[in-house]
Amino acid sequence: MIHKCAIVQNAAIALLATASLAIAHDHGDPEESRTGMLSSTTATSSMIAPLMATATPSASSPSGPISYFSHSGYSGLILAHIGLMTLAWFFVLPTSVALSIARSRLALAAQIGFFGLNAAGLLVGTIYNGKTPDLYEHNLHHKLGWGITWTVLAQIIVGLLTLYTNTKRTDDFNYDERTAFEPLSVQHMSGYQQMHPDSLPSMHRYSHDSGHGTESESGRSNSLSGFHEEKDEETQHFDPQSRVGGLDDQQKTSWLSSNSVVRGFARLSKLVPNRVMRVLTIFYDAVDIVILILGFVLILTGFITYGGIFRGNNVFNGLAHSVKGGIFFWYGLLTLGRWMGCFAEVGWAWNVRPTVGMVSTRKSKVPSAEFVESFIIFLYGSTNVFLEHLAAWGEAWTAQDLEHVSISVMFFGGGLCGMLIESKKVRELLNASFSRLSVNQDQHPYKEPWNPPRTYSFSMNPFPALIILLLGLMMSSHHQHSMVSTMVHKQWGTLFVGFALARAVTYILMYLSPPSSYLPSRPPSEIITSFCLISGGLIFIASNKDTVAAMEWYHLNAMFIFTVTMGWTAFLMAWEIVVLAVKGWAVRSRQPAAYSGRGTLA
């Protein structure tokens, strides 16, 4: 069984493990830090020289580092490849994943559309490769692209097979994967309150205007709340038709049944055992969850191959910046998703955690978002503290080595403190010296002073934000080999400081008025935190030595990368909101009866 929250956590942990191995080589040449900093011109030339040396004679270019970017031949083909892949991976793929998670009947069509665009991009790229010299031998982008393409094709085949197959499925898998993030109508919540009057918070609101004035139903139609009606675990069945939208008989006889290929898969699906089909549906869901991360890696390796960077030993510096910056980038996307209402069913959307009667038992035991953040920080510090001197193994320690080890120790200690603060057992022990007085509380004329404070019901852990704040301050003043590199590091360091300050505002708001509803409270400061994390992560990735060297070669200053990143971050956040709204629309269109009232919880 695959759980979406666990997959996101595991992906972050895997990226951190990779970063821990890469960071050991992140300091470049050990002699450079011992003999003094190079000048900007000397550093740029020394980093570009390996790129020039590895180029084939026919592809040499006096205008810059040898790469597909500087290669003038067949530029129309490579631009067409980039355009098709951007359209497929940035626009169509997220939409198809959202429709698939929502079990929309349009999911299969969107997946086929994505595969078609991706295939066209591959064809153009193959033609381009055949007409140009190999300027980046043994690059990862080509191999990864073909591997992901075959994976997506396998997912489409599984979707076609499960279209006409009925299979039992355990409730855990069905509940967590099929109903995650689905909106809940006012009628559902009202019915639940009538059956369980004591399970809802004392303060809640059923409204289609969210307290901001009167709006029409369409203004709240794309609710992203994450609850669903609980079903009996022993009698629940899974219908794989839901994998492609729960097609009914009328839909099957329309465009799908008119296709001979689909009819062939329908006959083939009758030969597949139910146990095999269950495994295939798990594979289908797994692809939905990891495909966006794989797409991010594919786009990133495309930039690397096109720019001709990360060659030789520089690959370790590039890998460290890409992995760590990628973690902050996805952390920002996750933060924006939390603000919009994702993960509300586990209490991550700045809301009250739903009770077991509303969500599965396993979801009710998911740790808080602050605990997960603290654990990832702790994991990074505990593994990386032993690897900081690996690049200069056997040599004397320098002040720079001690600086990096101190940062790892800070991550280790800060993450550990954050996890201890999130522990309910530790909190009980901290209150033990005073709780013994509560034995005589019956003799007290007023019992209200013995009730837990309202702030106990919500996690307000400042340590993750504090650690990132200190990291941002350190990187903002961390001296680099050139002025451009120093300014780029200061940019993403300052953005991380902005994240920490915005998160502090969130905690102040939550402390003054703790969440009292199952609905996402959507503190406005969290939009700032997500913006700072997304943009800071992208600039973090771009602060590697090769990218900075290329900027200096083409006479680009640090503000170029900053302004471009700000624009892309704003557009990316808008696109994420649109994609999740499309998913909400798809859920509502599948269950119109459940949303027949005036509004939904939003």
Side-chain angles (χ1 to χ4, degrees), residues 188-209:
H188 284 165
M189 181 65 83
S190 300
Y192 182 87
Q193 186 180 17
Q194 293 176 2
M195 293 185 295
H196 307 278
D198 299 329
S199 63
L200 295 179
S202 58
M203 297 177 61
H204 52 272
R205 171 167 40 90
Y206 304 140
S207 174
H208 64 284
D209 60 7

mmCIF file of all heavy atoms in Angstrom, residues 188-209:
data_model
loop_
_atom_site.group_PDB
_atom_site.id
_atom_site.type_symbol
_atom_site.label_atom_id
_atom_site.label_comp_id
_atom_site.label_asym_id
_atom_site.label_seq_id
_atom_site.Cartn_x
_atom_site.Cartn_y
_atom_site.Cartn_z
ATOM 1 N N HIS A 188 -22.541 16.445 3.822
ATOM 2 C CA HIS A 188 -21.796 15.347 4.435
ATOM 3 C C HIS A 188 -21.396 15.702 5.857
ATOM 4 O O HIS A 188 -21.545 14.904 6.774
ATOM 5 C CB HIS A 188 -20.553 15.043 3.605
ATOM 6 C CG HIS A 188 -20.863 14.281 2.345
ATOM 7 N ND1 HIS A 188 -19.972 14.161 1.311
ATOM 8 C CD2 HIS A 188 -21.967 13.607 1.957
ATOM 9 C CE1 HIS A 188 -20.513 13.442 0.341
ATOM 10 N NE2 HIS A 188 -21.716 13.095 0.720
ATOM 11 N N MET A 189 -20.858 16.905 6.038
ATOM 12 C CA MET A 189 -20.420 17.298 7.361
ATOM 13 C C MET A 189 -21.596 17.415 8.319
ATOM 14 O O MET A 189 -21.516 17.039 9.484
ATOM 15 C CB MET A 189 -19.647 18.621 7.289
ATOM 16 C CG MET A 189 -19.128 19.101 8.629
ATOM 17 S SD MET A 189 -17.894 17.990 9.323
ATOM 18 C CE MET A 189 -16.433 18.583 8.462
ATOM 19 N N SER A 190 -22.703 17.948 7.840
ATOM 20 C CA SER A 190 -23.884 18.077 8.706
ATOM 21 C C SER A 190 -24.400 16.714 9.135
ATOM 22 O O SER A 190 -24.760 16.509 10.299
ATOM 23 C CB SER A 190 -24.977 18.849 7.959
ATOM 24 O OG SER A 190 -24.527 20.133 7.597
ATOM 25 N N GLY A 191 -24.406 15.768 8.194
ATOM 26 C CA GLY A 191 -24.852 14.423 8.542
ATOM 27 C C GLY A 191 -23.938 13.769 9.549
ATOM 28 O O GLY A 191 -24.381 13.089 10.477
ATOM 29 N N TYR A 192 -22.637 14.004 9.366
ATOM 30 C CA TYR A 192 -21.691 13.427 10.323
ATOM 31 C C TYR A 192 -21.867 14.044 11.701
ATOM 32 O O TYR A 192 -21.811 13.362 12.721
ATOM 33 C CB TYR A 192 -20.262 13.646 9.833
ATOM 34 C CG TYR A 192 -19.230 13.023 10.748
ATOM 35 C CD1 TYR A 192 -18.851 11.690 10.580
ATOM 36 C CD2 TYR A 192 -18.658 13.748 11.787
ATOM 37 C CE1 TYR A 192 -17.918 11.116 11.425
ATOM 38 C CE2 TYR A 192 -17.731 13.183 12.631
ATOM 39 C CZ TYR A 192 -17.365 11.862 12.447
ATOM 40 O OH TYR A 192 -16.450 11.288 13.280
ATOM 41 N N GLN A 193 -22.145 15.340 11.763
ATOM 42 C CA GLN A 193 -22.320 15.994 13.045
ATOM 43 C C GLN A 193 -23.563 15.473 13.761
ATOM 44 O O GLN A 193 -23.577 15.363 14.986
ATOM 45 C CB GLN A 193 -22.413 17.501 12.847
ATOM 46 C CG GLN A 193 -22.463 18.274 14.163
ATOM 47 C CD GLN A 193 -22.556 19.751 13.923
ATOM 48 O OE1 GLN A 193 -22.895 20.169 12.823
ATOM 49 N NE2 GLN A 193 -22.262 20.546 14.936
ATOM 50 N N GLN A 194 -24.606 15.128 13.013
ATOM 51 C CA GLN A 194 -25.803 14.594 13.645
ATOM 52 C C GLN A 194 -25.543 13.226 14.271
ATOM 53 O O GLN A 194 -26.060 12.901 15.327
ATOM 54 C CB GLN A 194 -26.922 14.492 12.615
ATOM 55 C CG GLN A 194 -27.413 15.853 12.120
ATOM 56 C CD GLN A 194 -28.450 15.717 11.019
ATOM 57 O OE1 GLN A 194 -28.819 14.603 10.650
ATOM 58 N NE2 GLN A 194 -28.916 16.847 10.497
ATOM 59 N N MET A 195 -24.688 12.428 13.620
ATOM 60 C CA MET A 195 -24.376 11.102 14.162
ATOM 61 C C MET A 195 -23.329 11.170 15.263
ATOM 62 O O MET A 195 -23.325 10.370 16.190
ATOM 63 C CB MET A 195 -23.886 10.189 13.040
ATOM 64 C CG MET A 195 -24.955 9.852 12.007
ATOM 65 S SD MET A 195 -24.360 8.670 10.782
ATOM 66 C CE MET A 195 -23.089 9.657 9.984
ATOM 67 N N HIS A 196 -22.405 12.148 15.166
ATOM 68 C CA HIS A 196 -21.328 12.268 16.148
ATOM 69 C C HIS A 196 -21.266 13.712 16.630
ATOM 70 O O HIS A 196 -20.358 14.458 16.253
ATOM 71 C CB HIS A 196 -19.989 11.852 15.537
ATOM 72 C CG HIS A 196 -20.033 10.495 14.897
ATOM 73 N ND1 HIS A 196 -19.905 9.330 15.610
ATOM 74 C CD2 HIS A 196 -20.214 10.134 13.594
ATOM 75 C CE1 HIS A 196 -19.980 8.302 14.784
ATOM 76 N NE2 HIS A 196 -20.166 8.759 13.564
ATOM 77 N N PRO A 197 -22.189 14.137 17.436
ATOM 78 C CA PRO A 197 -22.246 15.562 17.824
ATOM 79 C C PRO A 197 -21.062 16.003 18.655
ATOM 80 O O PRO A 197 -20.773 17.196 18.715
ATOM 81 C CB PRO A 197 -23.561 15.657 18.614
ATOM 82 C CG PRO A 197 -23.804 14.269 19.117
ATOM 83 C CD PRO A 197 -23.276 13.348 18.060
ATOM 84 N N ASP A 198 -20.360 15.072 19.324
ATOM 85 C CA ASP A 198 -19.269 15.458 20.211
ATOM 86 C C ASP A 198 -17.910 15.416 19.535
ATOM 87 O O ASP A 198 -16.895 15.711 20.160
ATOM 88 C CB ASP A 198 -19.229 14.525 21.441
ATOM 89 C CG ASP A 198 -20.519 14.616 22.239
ATOM 90 O OD1 ASP A 198 -21.126 15.708 22.236
ATOM 91 O OD2 ASP A 198 -20.908 13.603 22.858
ATOM 92 N N SER A 199 -17.871 15.006 18.279
ATOM 93 C CA SER A 199 -16.573 14.808 17.638
ATOM 94 C C SER A 199 -16.075 16.037 16.907
ATOM 95 O O SER A 199 -14.910 16.112 16.559
ATOM 96 C CB SER A 199 -16.649 13.654 16.629
ATOM 97 O OG SER A 199 -17.552 13.966 15.587
ATOM 98 N N LEU A 200 -16.931 17.031 16.661
ATOM 99 C CA LEU A 200 -16.511 18.217 15.937
ATOM 100 C C LEU A 200 -16.049 19.291 16.911
ATOM 101 O O LEU A 200 -16.457 19.329 18.065
ATOM 102 C CB LEU A 200 -17.665 18.749 15.084
ATOM 103 C CG LEU A 200 -18.126 17.834 13.967
ATOM 104 C CD1 LEU A 200 -19.286 18.483 13.223
ATOM 105 C CD2 LEU A 200 -16.997 17.535 13.006
ATOM 106 N N PRO A 201 -15.170 20.192 16.468
ATOM 107 C CA PRO A 201 -14.740 21.280 17.332
ATOM 108 C C PRO A 201 -15.918 22.158 17.718
ATOM 109 O O PRO A 201 -16.938 22.235 17.033
ATOM 110 C CB PRO A 201 -13.738 22.061 16.463
ATOM 111 C CG PRO A 201 -13.340 21.112 15.377
ATOM 112 C CD PRO A 201 -14.524 20.219 15.160
ATOM 113 N N SER A 202 -15.732 22.845 18.838
ATOM 114 C CA SER A 202 -16.814 23.705 19.309
ATOM 115 C C SER A 202 -17.050 24.895 18.408
ATOM 116 O O SER A 202 -18.122 25.467 18.396
ATOM 117 C CB SER A 202 -16.478 24.212 20.721
ATOM 118 O OG SER A 202 -15.241 24.905 20.696
ATOM 119 N N MET A 203 -16.037 25.278 17.652
ATOM 120 C CA MET A 203 -16.172 26.409 16.739
ATOM 121 C C MET A 203 -15.896 25.919 15.341
ATOM 122 O O MET A 203 -14.812 25.456 15.037
ATOM 123 C CB MET A 203 -15.180 27.525 17.109
ATOM 124 C CG MET A 203 -15.427 28.116 18.482
ATOM 125 S SD MET A 203 -14.169 29.343 18.874
ATOM 126 C CE MET A 203 -14.449 30.524 17.579
ATOM 127 N N HIS A 204 -16.894 25.994 14.471
ATOM 128 C CA HIS A 204 -16.701 25.605 13.083
ATOM 129 C C HIS A 204 -17.662 26.415 12.219
ATOM 130 O O HIS A 204 -18.556 27.078 12.721
ATOM 131 C CB HIS A 204 -16.921 24.106 12.880
ATOM 132 C CG HIS A 204 -18.227 23.622 13.423
ATOM 133 N ND1 HIS A 204 -18.372 23.218 14.730
ATOM 134 C CD2 HIS A 204 -19.439 23.494 12.830
ATOM 135 C CE1 HIS A 204 -19.631 22.829 14.933
ATOM 136 N NE2 HIS A 204 -20.290 22.988 13.797
ATOM 137 N N ARG A 205 -17.465 26.332 10.920
ATOM 138 C CA ARG A 205 -18.249 27.154 10.023
ATOM 139 C C ARG A 205 -18.571 26.364 8.768
ATOM 140 O O ARG A 205 -17.711 25.762 8.154
ATOM 141 C CB ARG A 205 -17.436 28.405 9.658
ATOM 142 C CG ARG A 205 -18.045 29.233 8.576
ATOM 143 C CD ARG A 205 -17.352 30.583 8.506
ATOM 144 N NE ARG A 205 -15.932 30.482 8.700
ATOM 145 C CZ ARG A 205 -15.064 30.301 7.725
ATOM 146 N NH1 ARG A 205 -15.494 30.196 6.495
ATOM 147 N NH2 ARG A 205 -13.783 30.238 7.961
ATOM 148 N N TYR A 206 -19.834 26.343 8.399
ATOM 149 C CA TYR A 206 -20.258 25.777 7.129
ATOM 150 C C TYR A 206 -20.677 26.962 6.257
ATOM 151 O O TYR A 206 -21.700 27.588 6.500
ATOM 152 C CB TYR A 206 -21.442 24.831 7.290
ATOM 153 C CG TYR A 206 -21.186 23.719 8.271
ATOM 154 C CD1 TYR A 206 -22.188 23.311 9.141
ATOM 155 C CD2 TYR A 206 -19.953 23.093 8.324
ATOM 156 C CE1 TYR A 206 -21.964 22.270 10.030
ATOM 157 C CE2 TYR A 206 -19.725 22.063 9.216
ATOM 158 C CZ TYR A 206 -20.725 21.665 10.058
ATOM 159 O OH TYR A 206 -20.505 20.649 10.929
ATOM 160 N N SER A 207 -19.924 27.262 5.290
ATOM 161 C CA SER A 207 -20.233 28.457 4.513
ATOM 162 C C SER A 207 -19.675 28.323 3.121
ATOM 163 O O SER A 207 -18.631 27.752 2.916
ATOM 164 C CB SER A 207 -19.620 29.697 5.169
ATOM 165 O OG SER A 207 -19.806 30.836 4.358
ATOM 166 N N HIS A 208 -20.409 28.875 2.155
ATOM 167 C CA HIS A 208 -19.896 28.925 0.800
ATOM 168 C C HIS A 208 -19.221 30.250 0.508
ATOM 169 O O HIS A 208 -18.708 30.456 -0.577
ATOM 170 C CB HIS A 208 -21.018 28.699 -0.211
ATOM 171 C CG HIS A 208 -22.054 29.795 -0.178
ATOM 172 N ND1 HIS A 208 -22.993 29.878 0.821
ATOM 173 C CD2 HIS A 208 -22.280 30.832 -1.025
ATOM 174 C CE1 HIS A 208 -23.783 30.930 0.581
ATOM 175 N NE2 HIS A 208 -23.367 31.526 -0.526
ATOM 176 N N ASP A 209 -19.194 31.144 1.493
ATOM 177 C CA ASP A 209 -18.515 32.411 1.256
ATOM 178 C C ASP A 209 -17.277 32.581 2.108
ATOM 179 O O ASP A 209 -16.596 33.600 2.011
ATOM 180 C CB ASP A 209 -19.459 33.594 1.494
ATOM 181 C CG ASP A 209 -19.992 33.624 2.915
ATOM 182 O OD1 ASP A 209 -19.543 32.814 3.742
ATOM 183 O OD2 ASP A 209 -20.854 34.485 3.186
#
